[in-house]
Amino acid sequence: RLPLFQAAGKKNSSNLLSLNEADLKEQFVRGDGPGGQATNKTSNCVVLKHIPTGIVIKCHQTRSVEQNRKIAREILQEKVDLFYKGEDSDVFKEKKAAEKKKQEKKRRARENLERKKHFKEMQESDGK
């Protein structure tokens, strides 16, 4: 079972709950992590808080404040959708489907590896 907030990613779902700008508190802070002077001198990290739920998003994916604002809103919209809809949210369903697909791929790869190993053992025993 996935924790609900881990399911928010970068999927585009059309029927997410919409955000009301009046419910948002936006701040611009200095980002952290690699980047040196470009990171340390500019306040292009966006901190977005959804006041009714208390969900906080910190976005510093690009150097552009405008792009970070846009990305932060998309991520916040997905998290708010998950908060209110829970497992009925499209974001959760997409994440769950992707996880299932990944597990199936791993299982097939493991089976294939076992088949190859068995085949190799058969060839070695026939050669002796």
Side-chain angles (χ1 to χ4, degrees):
R1 239 183 106 107
L2 284 171
L4 284 181
F5 286 114
Q6 275 188 347
K10 293 180 195 120
K11 300 280 187 253
N12 288 331
S13 296
S14 55
N15 58 348
L16 293 176
L17 293 174
S18 59
L19 294 176
N20 184 357
E21 285 294 320
D23 292 341
L24 303 179
K25 181 181 176 196
E26 188 173 44
Q27 289 179 301
F28 303 102
V29 297
R30 289 194 181 142
D32 55 0
Q37 186 176 3
T39 299
N40 300 335
K41 277 193 159 185
T42 59
S43 295
N44 56 6
C45 180
V46 177
V47 177
L48 203 56
K49 181 176 182 179
H50 188 250
I51 297 164
T53 59
I55 298 172
V56 178
I57 297 294
K58 190 173 179 184
C59 180
H60 187 230
Q61 292 181 12
T62 68
R63 283 182 169 187
S64 164
V65 177
E66 286 305 313
Q67 282 182 320
N68 286 335
R69 289 180 76 201
K70 184 176 182 268
I71 294 167
R73 277 170 172 69
E74 289 169 1
I75 295 170
L76 184 65
Q77 186 176 19
E78 290 177 2
K79 293 217 182 211
V80 168
D81 191 68
L82 278 168
F83 182 84
Y84 286 118
K85 292 183 182 176
E87 292 185 9
D88 294 333
S89 171
D90 283 352
V91 177
F92 185 80
K93 289 175 184 173
E94 285 174 14
K95 186 75 172 181
K96 197 104 164 139
E99 188 66 32
K100 195 172 183 179
K101 192 175 179 181
K102 186 178 178 182
Q103 286 176 348
E104 179 64 24
K105 191 175 179 181
K106 274 185 177 178
R107 186 189 62 77
R108 270 192 254 123
R110 202 171 28 250
E111 284 177 358
N112 204 6
L113 192 65
E114 287 293 321
R115 216 176 286 120
K116 285 180 182 178
K117 197 174 179 182
H118 183 70
F119 182 71
K120 192 173 183 180
E121 288 171 358
M122 293 294 284
Q123 277 188 325
E124 287 175 2
S125 65
D126 288 346
K128 290 183 181 176

